[in-house]
Amino acid sequence: MLLAQLTDTHVIDPDGDTELVVDNNHRLELAVERLNAETVQPEVVIATGDLTDNGTAVEMDILAGLLAPLEAPLLALPGNHDDRTTFRAMFDMPWATEDSHLSWVTNVGNLHIIGLDTLLPGTHGGMFDPERQRWLTEALDASGTRPTVIAMHHPPFLSGIHWMDSMRLEGMAIFTEMVARRSNVIRILCGHLHRPLTATIGGVTTTVGPSTIQHVELDLDPSASIEVIRDPPGYHLHNYVDDVWVSHIRYIDTGESPVVPEWSK
């Protein structure tokens, strides 16, 4: 079982006034090309939010065009830069019945995958409130003993990058308690932080995927200023075989190609 994860693509309207550090749209185009070139194709691509920069209909149309060549099926979640109305209109997903959040549940192979919408409109932070708690409880109950993955935009932990942690998920402690009681939750996949991280939440390994655009600079000084850096963009490849989960980062746009060393010939 091979899953890919795209996150924080921040597709923009070229005629808008978004300040760019890199070419956001071209980076997503390169990521889709590289995903299609994987020698083993993923069963599904999970996109964990902030797929657009402002959530406008124009940006959604551009996003649709950039994702159209993707060969693997796509499962998408909104992030704090997305808009639920335009998001729902674009993606054909098994949305939750509640209009207040675009969460969903699906099965891929032997995996039960839960997409949890943590978007809190008007803020960059996220929310895990009683309504989402009730919904997630039902979704986890429905999983039985099936191995379960939770995908969400906002990570349920503090990264130590203080200006990003100011845009945290509210309700992290309740979420952690819920996950700790569910032995079949094997992985949590997140976005939002614009750099790859790994944490353990309620005994469950939790990973943040790399953004396809600029990354957040790693500075753990509480007084650090807001800085971003042109680290190599990429996406995650998650391989789940015989109850073992292995996560790889596929870097893209590095200008490098594989080299066959002489000693291997």
Side-chain angles (χ1 to χ4, degrees):
M1 175 70 68
L2 184 66
L3 311 177
Q5 180 192 0
L6 281 171
T7 196
D8 296 273
T9 58
H10 288 268
V11 165
I12 60 129
D13 175 3
D15 295 325
D17 57 359
T18 301
E19 179 186 2
L20 292 181
V21 177
V22 297
D23 187 337
N24 296 13
N25 297 0
H26 182 56
R27 288 283 186 91
L28 177 55
E29 182 180 20
L30 293 176
V32 169
E33 289 177 359
R34 190 64 189 85
L35 275 164
N36 288 341
E38 293 289 349
T39 54
V40 177
Q41 281 292 292
E43 296 284 339
V44 70
V45 177
I46 302 174
T48 49
D50 279 3
L51 304 188
T52 62
D53 201 57
N54 298 287
T56 65
V58 171
E59 288 178 346
M60 276 294 180
D61 286 343
I62 296 171
L63 175 66
L66 292 170
L67 290 176
L70 186 64
E71 295 176 2
L74 183 73
L75 299 172
L77 277 168
N80 49 282
H81 279 260
D82 298 312
D83 175 83
R84 285 199 180 102
T85 300
T86 56
F87 211 89
R88 182 187 286 272
M90 173 176 167
F91 292 104
D92 182 16
M93 296 285 300
W95 303 118
T97 56
E98 296 91 342
D99 293 331
S100 58
H101 60 101
L102 299 186
S103 301
W104 45 262
V105 181
T106 191
N107 294 322
V108 178
N110 68 329
L111 287 179
H112 190 72
I113 303 180
I114 298 172
L116 177 65
D117 173 6
T118 56
L119 170 60
L120 182 61
T123 73
H124 287 298
M127 176 61 71
F128 184 67
D129 57 8
E131 180 181 347
R132 287 171 178 81
Q133 183 181 357
R134 288 191 296 271
W135 182 86
L136 182 58
T137 297
E138 294 175 1
L140 288 170
D141 287 345
S143 69
T145 60
R146 183 189 292 264
T148 297
V149 174
I150 301 174
M152 55 201 296
H153 180 66
H154 295 88
F157 62 87
L158 297 180
S159 68
I161 303 172
H162 290 262
W163 65 272
M164 285 300 297
D165 288 343
S166 68
M167 299 177 278
R168 66 173 67 90
L169 176 72
E170 299 298 330
M172 288 188 293
I174 297 172
F175 178 87
T176 300
E177 290 174 6
M178 284 189 62
V179 169
R181 296 195 299 267
R182 304 285 182 154
S183 61
N184 63 318
V185 177
I186 60 171
R187 202 55 109 237
I188 301 169
L189 309 179
C190 310
H192 188 55
L193 294 178
H194 281 242
R195 62 175 308 106
L197 297 104
T198 303
T200 302
I201 304 301
V204 180
T205 300
T206 303
T207 56
V208 176
S211 172
T212 55
I213 65 168
Q214 69 271 5
H215 288 189
V216 167
E217 166 65 356
L218 178 57
D219 190 337
L220 301 179
D221 184 341
S223 63
S225 59
I226 296 175
E227 291 183 322
V228 297
I229 188 169
R230 295 183 184 92
D231 280 347
Y235 52 83
H236 262 153
L237 287 173
H238 304 289
N239 199 24
Y240 181 58
V241 180
D242 297 331
D243 294 327
V244 176
W245 186 286
V246 179
S247 297
H248 301 271
I249 298 177
R250 170 68 75 189
Y251 295 110
I252 59 173
D253 198 30
T254 63
E256 297 291 338
S257 300
V259 175
V260 179
E262 288 295 325
W263 51 260
S264 70
K265 298 177 181 178

